[in-house]
């Protein structure tokens, strides 16, 4: 009998790709969405829930489910309009996750795979799974607290929990800052990022989906935490050059020193944006390689090519 997998956030950037990958591998997939009308082309059985929080009723969605993959979340935003952002993140990402996990355990779900974030580790530097958590913003704090709650539930109920912490995810249909970067490179906008010597880990959508699928039923994944990336780190300058090559465009880079960029961005109230562009954030995926035998199935160049090709086809 094929495993039945429940995917929350099924019509999102990661969720839609995951549902397609699971269906192609003959899993029975049930996708949780808030608005079925925005789920055209989704390859799975659909079930609807309202807002995710401490009172969400998951009982109907969990009937017959073996594995839960929890992707739905209140995501990090650069300009948060909430009066109390941390409270809002906790309502969805902590209380909502714990509510789903407890309902899943009660329903007999065997394993709960949780998409967390490298922000649990921190914002700058290099990390592996043994490093102590040091979240810096409300989103990272909420993901860390959700992880702690899941570990307690796992210990109390016997349901297996797997936690995956990705860095920035890119791929076909990517939004937010990466989409802006694609837009700028495609139009030949001169960028003052030609002298950035940082190192950053990224993860292609296909690689993230592949490790999620691996963690669904790999025996060694039970009750483990994994950092994930493409296994290749680039500077911001190198990333733009790779993107330009993937798009068949020239890389129009102006060599402005990182210190000058940071000073200018601070004056303009954009220090956080500049810090992401200039700072380093690297993750070590040795644990996933050794414990799961997992290797990223596509290279970063291939991941960037797929993202660029999709953007050019849909702009």
């Amino acid at each position: 009998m094929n495993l039945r997998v429940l995917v929350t956030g099924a019509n999102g950037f990661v969720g839609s790709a995951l549902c397609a990958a699971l269906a192609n591998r003959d899993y029975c997939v049930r996708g949780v969405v808030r608005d079925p009308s925005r789920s055209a082309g989704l390859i799975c059985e659909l079930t609807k829930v309202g807002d995710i929080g401490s009172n969400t009723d998951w009982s109907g969605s969990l009937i017959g489910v073996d594995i839960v993959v929890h992707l739905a979340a209140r995501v990090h935003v650069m300009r948060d309009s909430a009066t109390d952002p941390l409270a809002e993140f906790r309502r969805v990402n902590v209380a909502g996750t714990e509510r789903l996990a407890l309902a899943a355990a009660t329903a007999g779900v065997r394993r709960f795979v949780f998409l967390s974030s490298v922000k649990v580790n921190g914002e700058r530097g290099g990390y592996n799974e043994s490093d102590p958590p040091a979240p810096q913003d409300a989103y990272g704090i909420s993901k860390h607290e959700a992880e702690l709650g899941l570990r307690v539930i796992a210990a109390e109920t016997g349901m297996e929990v797997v936690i995956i912490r990705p860095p920035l995810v890119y791929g076909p249909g990517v939004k937010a800052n990466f989409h802006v970067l694609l837009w700028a490179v495609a139009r030949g906008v001169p960028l003052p990022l030609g002298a950035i010597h940082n190192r950053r880990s990224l993860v292609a959508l296909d690689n993230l989906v592949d490790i999620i699928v691996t963690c669904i039923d790999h025996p060694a994944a039970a009750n483990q935490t994994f950092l994930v990336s493409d296994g290749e780190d680039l500077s911001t300058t190198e990333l733009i050059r790779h993107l330009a090559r993937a798009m068949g465009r020239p890389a129009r880079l102006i060599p402005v020193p990182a210190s000058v960029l940071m000073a200018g961005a601070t004056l303009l109230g954009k220090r956080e944006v500049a810090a992401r562009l200039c700072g380093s954030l690297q993750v070590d995926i040795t644990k996933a390689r050794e414990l799961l035998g997992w290797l990223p199935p596509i290279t970063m160049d291939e991941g960037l090519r797929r993202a660029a090709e999709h953007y050019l086809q849909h702009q």
Side-chain angles (χ1 to χ4, degrees), residues 294-305:
W294 182 79
L295 294 172
I298 67 170
T299 64
M300 179 178 284
D301 273 337
E302 175 61 17
L304 293 174
R305 186 195 67 78

Side-chain angles (χ1 to χ4, degrees), residues 88-169:
E88 282 300 297
F89 279 116
R90 282 174 166 156
R91 181 182 65 82
V92 178
N93 297 350
V94 183
T97 297
E98 291 175 352
R99 171 80 170 186
L100 172 58
L102 286 169
T106 300
V109 168
R110 178 166 63 84
R111 179 173 290 185
F112 191 101
V113 181
F114 178 60
L115 190 66
S116 186
S117 169
V118 72
K119 281 178 163 287
V120 170
N121 291 92
E123 301 280 353
R124 307 284 181 270
Y127 302 111
N128 62 38
E129 292 84 355
S130 65
D131 291 316
Q136 301 297 306
D137 64 7
Y139 174 71
I141 290 168
S142 71
K143 284 292 192 178
H144 179 223
E145 291 177 355
E147 289 185 11
L148 294 175
L150 287 173
R151 291 191 182 102
V152 170
I153 291 169
E156 292 178 347
T157 67
M159 181 177 67
E160 298 170 352
V161 166
V162 186
I163 294 166
I164 300 172
R165 295 179 188 160
L168 186 150
V169 185

